[in-house]
Amino acid sequence: MPDTSKIVSVKDAVAAIRSGDRIMVGSFGNAGYPENLVETMTASDLKDLTIISNDLGSPGIGLGKFLANGQIKALIGNYYNWNPDVARAYNAGEIDVCLVPQGSFAEAIRAAGVGIAAFFTPTAAGTVLGKDKETRDFNGRPHVLEHAIHADVALIKAYKADELGNLVYYKTARNFNPLMAMAATLTIAEVDDIVPVGSLDPECVVTPHLFVNMIIKKGEK
Amino acid sequence: MPDTSKIVSVKDAVAAIRSGDRIMVGSFGNAGYPENLVETMTASDLKDLTIISNDLGSPGIGLGKFLANGQIKALIGNYYNWNPDVARAYNAGEIDVCLVPQGSFAEAIRAAGVGIAAFFTPTAAGTVLGKDKETRDFNGRPHVLEHAIHADVALIKAYKADELGNLVYYKTARNFNPLMAMAATLTIAEVDDIVPVGSLDPECVVTPHLFVNMIIKKGEK
Amino acid sequence: MKEIVPGDIARARIARRIASEFMGRDRTMIINLGVGIPTMVANFIRSDRIFIQAENGMMGVGPKAAEGEADSRLINAGREPVTETPGCSYFDSAASFGMIRGGHVDATVIGAFEVDQTGNIANWIIPNGRQLGVGGAMDLVSGAKQVVVAMRHNGSDGRPKLVKACSLPITGFHEADFVITELGVFRFIEGVLTLQEIAPEIDLTRLTELTEAPFVAAADIKVMDS
Amino acid sequence: MKEIVPGDIARARIARRIASEFMGRDRTMIINLGVGIPTMVANFIRSDRIFIQAENGMMGVGPKAAEGEADSRLINAGREPVTETPGCSYFDSAASFGMIRGGHVDATVIGAFEVDQTGNIANWIIPNGRQLGVGGAMDLVSGAKQVVVAMRHNGSDGRPKLVKACSLPITGFHEADFVITELGVFRFIEGVLTLQEIAPEIDLTRLTELTEAPFVAAADIKVMDS
């Protein structure tokens, strides 16, 4: 193991997060959701969080706990129909919600990770979700300008990490995780297993270690 | 094997290419260069080609053969210092050359593949290579607008294909190949080996089969 | 109002008709299936040339997982546990929507609240304060090569869903290619809504009454398989 | 003109000084090395916290391949056959430049024709009609967190390379953080070119004569390791 290990306790990892932070959380439904990190955060005093995620789980379940706990200031994501608490809180003026079409959302997170400031996509041009966005024709078709979506912290769920922080994922639990791993100032990966350096096939590493700042092992305190 | 096999002879593959086409060719130096496809094309009557590639090999070697043969109308790429014939032909007015910084070049090819019309990048802002490009500040820093780079045909070098056309690559021979595989109307992959469906790990497929139209096996006619 | 075709039969008919549309094509087809009737299309596909893409990051989605074999980490975009097919692959959401936006998905099958005579589709929200989500709907209708709308011909209140102009927020403009209901197969041909097949239960007069959008009947109109 | 420091010694000194700069940092460093002197930096790194990225698609580049073990498919960005290190990984060029442009590479070490007093770098072309290539130079200088210029202090004709204003086409504006030559270690501190170390062979007066760009000497200036 290298002398600067990234492996930390979930408590130390969460101690690096501040109230008011913009937090990306990987997952699609409950697939690829960093359970320990979220559990620990929802048991903390952290508040005024902006949660950037595909959805917000179900009422009181998964990411839904953040909302049930009143820890959320704003949401950036694309699909909250699985958790009707979101529409309720939004209508009551308790939280802000910014809806971005799922493909544009994924691409905007990637853009932040790879240093692209903004991009033109045909998705949503002319619709309610595109109406406040700069619109321009390319090849005779309207496109909207979508800006990169950054975060202070990304909470990632991976299947395995090696001791350097190289990550691989598990089936459709991959989803937004590799994108968010690139797009935050601090990336914390929760993994099922930590394996020795050299155990992962270099051709199959999905997230190279340079994107990962901290690793916690699922189920450990 | 499915009843609509993509596996064809190199002759049949090259027969689908037309003079005047925009051709992407994977490779960095000679790593990841589809040798049989290029050999067959350079032995053909194809001309007025626009070759979109990182570099143009060395004089008379690899992609350099296209130039030695007078088959090139224009080049889009980023590094021709390994092949001084390119500067010579350009200065003599024999070919057009469009230089795009390597990172912007890679990203513009990806953009074409994923339906992004254009993107803002800080690379080259204010320089000779950015001077004719729309420039805009984001976060106080100038960015240039780069447009997607499409092709009619992509010539890809992969390590293995399964019979559906899923591809994996070999070490740094990966380079531009997976990007170009997405960015052309017709994608032809030259591979070292063709393996049965189910042989490749679904987590490690780099180019899913939907991007591949034809497969030829290296060394077969 | 008595239904002309009962719900279960209607849904299966629509799904089967769409599957046969894809199976009738002489080439590989990459398709994406939305929730509801679209998902049922998979049950009727008998072809090794048709591959199902799920926008949450999978190419080659297999049948629903059997009871006891479900893995919450292997799901489709409707959060249902599914299975693998040989030659499948996994990728992240940006790559997945890259396939969709880049025009590499041959067809998306989606449900809709309304489709209008210009091919506009409204399927993402009914503004009633209870929904807050778009998912991949806008990306799919603007990106897929063909958009196949699978929907009941009329709402539960009898109101036509093929309308002159959508009243609900639009998902995509002029994107519908096929609209397949239990009463007919409609296709936009050069922008004109054209009836290609009609259900055996009704005639053209009755179908016209049940459809707000004007349409033309194809010269070679056929009876839809029941 | 007689060289103050012979070429071989100069190049090794520059490379070794840059390696020690990185080894002196108490954290993981991801570095990218250009061709020429920058590539030599790898020879002096003794640390398991420093990882070399190659922009042609590799993280964790190892030493040059031994004669007979070279594989033309495993190369660095200078087309030299290299080896793997444990924990290395491969990726495509868009992902590679995503790392660079996205600010995930801690430092890039590059050669240069000229660096000026504002930190502008000219290293991609001498307009003489014989060169036509930019490679990743512009991406690297604009994307890497720190830009370390490794170059001889003067050209072969004695002309200073640290100049008032670049005369050649610019690669990136105000991007240089360190300029390390065989005669000194310079750092841009709040925009001011500051000499931090000076070679044992010369004094400040002589160095000032050999340098066109104005610079200040740090209060705690040190003698550079020879």
Side-chain angles (χ1 to χ4, degrees):
Chain A
M1 204 184 307
D3 62 356
T4 52
S5 177
K6 297 173 178 175
I7 303 167
V8 300
S9 70
V10 62
K11 207 173 137 187
D12 285 351
V14 170
I17 305 174
R18 300 275 164 265
S19 287
D21 272 356
R22 288 165 63 95
I23 316 278
M24 285 180 177
V25 195
S27 63
F28 184 100
N30 288 327
Y33 137 71
E35 193 175 334
N36 281 33
L37 284 164
V38 172
E39 289 294 324
T40 306
M41 283 183 70
T42 53
S44 78
D45 295 336
L46 290 166
K47 60 181 182 181
D48 294 331
L49 302 174
T50 295
I51 301 289
I52 303 166
S53 58
N54 180 72
D55 54 85
L56 206 74
S58 303
I61 297 175
L63 301 189
K65 285 182 190 165
F66 283 120
L67 185 59
N69 281 0
Q71 294 176 286
I72 291 175
K73 181 176 70 178
L75 296 175
I76 303 172
N78 69 78
Y79 198 76
Y80 300 111
N81 292 346
W82 291 326
N83 186 345
D85 286 357
V86 174
R88 208 170 295 134
Y90 175 70
N91 292 332
E94 293 162 16
I95 60 170
D96 283 335
V97 177
C98 175
L99 281 188
V100 183
Q102 194 170 138
S104 301
F105 178 70
E107 189 70 11
I109 294 167
R110 176 188 178 276
V114 302
I116 298 298
F119 57 89
F120 283 104
T121 172
T123 299
T127 73
V128 171
L129 297 186
K131 76 176 187 317
D132 296 328
K133 292 176 179 167
E134 178 178 336
T135 303
R136 187 189 297 196
D137 278 11
F138 291 88
N139 304 314
R141 206 173 165 206
H143 287 62
V144 298
L145 186 65
E146 294 280 0
H147 291 255
I149 300 176
H150 292 266
D152 298 303
V153 182
L155 308 180
I156 296 306
K157 177 64 174 69
Y159 180 40
K160 292 181 188 172
D162 71 15
E163 290 166 341
L164 290 175
N166 287 308
L167 303 180
V168 295
Y169 300 88
Y170 190 87
K171 302 189 177 182
T172 58
R174 187 181 307 195
N175 55 65
F176 295 89
N177 283 298
L179 305 169
M180 292 176 170
M182 304 190 290
T185 306
L186 172 68
T187 294
I188 309 171
E190 174 173 328
V191 302
D192 289 349
D193 267 308
I194 298 173
V195 298
V197 175
S199 310
L200 301 178
D201 181 346
E203 300 281 6
C204 301
V205 167
V206 177
T207 297
H209 60 79
L210 78 170
F211 293 115
V212 179
N213 304 105
M214 295 182 180
I215 304 165
I216 71 153
K217 192 170 165 187
K218 182 181 170 181
E220 290 193 356
K221 299 297 164 192
Chain B
M1 199 183 311
D3 61 357
T4 51
S5 176
K6 296 173 178 175
I7 303 167
V8 299
S9 69
V10 63
K11 205 173 136 188
D12 285 351
V14 171
I17 305 173
R18 301 274 163 266
S19 285
D21 273 356
R22 288 165 62 96
I23 316 278
M24 285 178 176
V25 194
S27 65
F28 185 100
N30 288 326
Y33 137 70
E35 195 177 332
N36 281 33
L37 283 164
V38 172
E39 289 294 323
T40 306
M41 282 183 71
T42 53
S44 77
D45 295 335
L46 290 167
K47 60 180 183 183
D48 293 330
L49 302 174
T50 295
I51 301 289
I52 303 165
S53 58
N54 181 73
D55 55 84
L56 206 74
S58 302
I61 298 174
L63 300 189
K65 284 182 191 164
F66 283 120
L67 184 59
N69 281 359
Q71 295 176 285
I72 292 177
K73 182 176 70 180
L75 296 175
I76 303 172
N78 68 78
Y79 198 76
Y80 300 110
N81 293 346
W82 291 326
N83 187 346
D85 287 355
V86 173
R88 209 170 295 134
Y90 174 70
N91 292 330
E94 294 162 16
I95 61 170
D96 283 335
V97 176
C98 176
L99 281 188
V100 183
Q102 195 170 137
S104 302
F105 178 70
E107 189 70 11
I109 293 167
R110 177 190 177 275
V114 303
I116 298 299
F119 57 89
F120 282 103
T121 172
T123 300
T127 74
V128 171
L129 297 186
K131 75 175 189 314
D132 296 328
K133 292 174 178 168
E134 179 177 335
T135 303
R136 187 189 296 196
D137 277 12
F138 291 88
N139 304 313
R141 206 174 167 204
H143 287 62
V144 297
L145 186 66
E146 294 280 0
H147 291 255
I149 299 176
H150 291 267
D152 298 303
V153 182
L155 308 180
I156 296 307
K157 178 63 174 69
Y159 180 40
K160 291 180 188 174
D162 71 14
E163 291 166 340
L164 290 175
N166 287 308
L167 303 180
V168 296
Y169 300 88
Y170 190 86
K171 302 191 177 182
T172 58
R174 189 182 304 195
N175 55 65
F176 295 89
N177 283 298
L179 306 169
M180 292 176 170
M182 304 191 290
T185 307
L186 172 68
T187 294
I188 308 171
E190 175 172 329
V191 302
D192 289 349
D193 267 309
I194 299 173
V195 298
V197 174
S199 310
L200 301 177
D201 181 347
E203 302 279 6
C204 301
V205 168
V206 177
T207 297
H209 61 78
L210 79 168
F211 293 116
V212 179
N213 304 107
M214 295 180 181
I215 305 165
I216 71 153
K217 191 167 166 189
K218 182 181 169 182
E220 290 194 354
K221 298 298 165 190
Chain C
M1 193 183 112
K2 190 179 161 295
E3 289 189 304
I4 297 167
V5 181
D8 285 357
I9 295 173
R11 281 187 288 275
R13 179 186 294 182
I14 294 166
R16 197 179 58 237
R17 181 61 188 81
I18 292 170
S20 88
E21 180 67 32
F22 296 148
M23 289 190 286
R25 300 195 188 169
D26 187 26
R27 57 186 184 79
T28 295
M29 289 284 293
I30 309 297
I31 64 174
N32 179 295
L33 304 176
V35 294
I37 301 174
T39 299
M40 294 170 61
V41 170
N43 303 339
F44 296 98
I45 288 174
R46 304 279 176 276
S47 166
D48 62 0
R49 290 184 284 108
I50 299 179
F51 301 90
I52 299 172
Q53 195 255 17
E55 65 264 35
N56 54 318
M58 184 176 188
M59 180 74 227
V61 179
K64 261 192 232 184
E67 197 73 35
E69 287 173 19
D71 181 337
S72 64
R73 299 168 299 175
L74 175 49
I75 59 175
N76 65 18
R79 296 203 297 185
E80 296 169 321
V82 293
T83 56
E84 298 187 329
T85 58
C88 72
S89 56
Y90 299 101
F91 32 82
D92 67 46
S93 299
S96 183
F97 280 94
M99 292 173 185
I100 293 164
R101 199 193 304 103
H104 306 285
V105 170
D106 295 293
T108 182
V109 185
I110 55 167
F113 305 130
E114 294 174 331
V115 178
D116 77 18
Q117 60 180 323
T118 72
N120 291 344
I121 297 164
N123 83 338
W124 75 277
I125 198 164
I126 296 175
N128 59 7
R130 291 199 302 273
Q131 292 178 313
L132 205 56
V134 61
M138 289 187 182
D139 305 278
L140 281 160
V141 301
S142 82
K145 277 190 216 160
Q146 288 201 326
V147 176
V148 179
V149 178
M151 66 179 188
R152 297 297 302 276
H153 200 83
N154 298 79
S156 52
D157 56 359
R159 175 185 51 80
K161 300 178 74 173
L162 258 171
V163 296
K164 285 184 177 159
C166 290
S167 62
L168 294 168
I170 302 292
T171 310
F173 295 90
H174 318 305
E175 296 286 9
D177 294 291
F178 285 89
V179 179
I180 298 184
T181 79
E182 74 278 24
L183 299 186
V185 174
F186 297 85
R187 187 172 181 181
F188 284 90
I189 298 177
E190 292 174 12
V192 178
L193 184 61
T194 306
L195 178 69
Q196 296 191 306
E197 296 179 23
I198 186 167
E201 292 84 357
I202 57 169
D203 61 16
L204 205 51
T205 308
R206 184 79 185 106
L207 183 60
T208 305
E209 286 167 12
L210 293 166
T211 309
E212 184 188 301
F215 63 87
V216 300
D220 61 344
I221 189 168
K222 294 189 183 67
V223 174
M224 197 175 174
D225 281 347
S226 62
Chain D
M1 193 184 112
K2 190 177 162 296
E3 288 190 305
I4 298 167
V5 182
D8 285 357
I9 296 172
R11 281 187 288 275
R13 178 187 293 182
I14 295 167
R16 197 179 58 239
R17 181 60 189 82
I18 293 171
S20 87
E21 179 67 32
F22 297 148
M23 288 189 286
R25 301 197 186 168
D26 187 26
R27 57 184 183 82
T28 295
M29 289 283 294
I30 309 297
I31 64 173
N32 179 294
L33 304 176
V35 293
I37 301 174
T39 298
M40 294 170 60
V41 171
N43 302 339
F44 296 98
I45 289 175
R46 304 280 177 274
S47 166
D48 60 2
R49 290 185 283 107
I50 299 179
F51 301 90
I52 300 172
Q53 195 254 17
E55 65 264 36
N56 54 317
M58 184 177 189
M59 180 74 227
V61 179
K64 259 192 235 184
E67 198 72 37
E69 286 173 19
D71 182 337
S72 64
R73 299 167 299 176
L74 174 49
I75 59 174
N76 65 17
R79 297 201 298 184
E80 297 168 321
V82 293
T83 56
E84 298 186 330
T85 58
C88 73
S89 55
Y90 298 102
F91 31 81
D92 68 46
S93 299
S96 183
F97 280 93
M99 293 174 184
I100 293 164
R101 198 192 307 103
H104 307 284
V105 170
D106 295 293
T108 182
V109 185
I110 55 168
F113 304 129
E114 295 174 329
V115 177
D116 76 19
Q117 61 180 323
T118 72
N120 291 343
I121 298 164
N123 83 338
W124 75 276
I125 198 164
I126 296 175
N128 59 7
R130 291 199 303 272
Q131 292 178 313
L132 206 55
V134 63
M138 290 187 181
D139 306 278
L140 282 160
V141 301
S142 82
K145 277 189 214 158
Q146 288 200 328
V147 176
V148 179
V149 178
M151 65 180 188
R152 297 299 302 278
H153 199 83
N154 298 79
S156 51
D157 55 359
R159 175 187 50 81
K161 299 178 72 172
L162 258 170
V163 296
K164 286 184 177 159
C166 289
S167 63
L168 294 169
I170 302 292
T171 309
F173 295 89
H174 318 304
E175 298 286 8
D177 295 291
F178 285 89
V179 178
I180 299 186
T181 79
E182 74 278 23
L183 299 185
V185 173
F186 297 84
R187 185 172 182 181
F188 285 91
I189 299 176
E190 293 176 10
V192 178
L193 184 62
T194 308
L195 178 70
Q196 296 191 306
E197 297 179 23
I198 185 166
E201 291 85 357
I202 56 169
D203 62 15
L204 206 50
T205 309
R206 183 78 185 107
L207 184 59
T208 305
E209 287 167 12
L210 292 166
T211 309
E212 183 189 302
F215 62 88
V216 302
D220 60 344
I221 189 166
K222 293 189 186 67
V223 174
M224 197 174 174
D225 281 347
S226 61

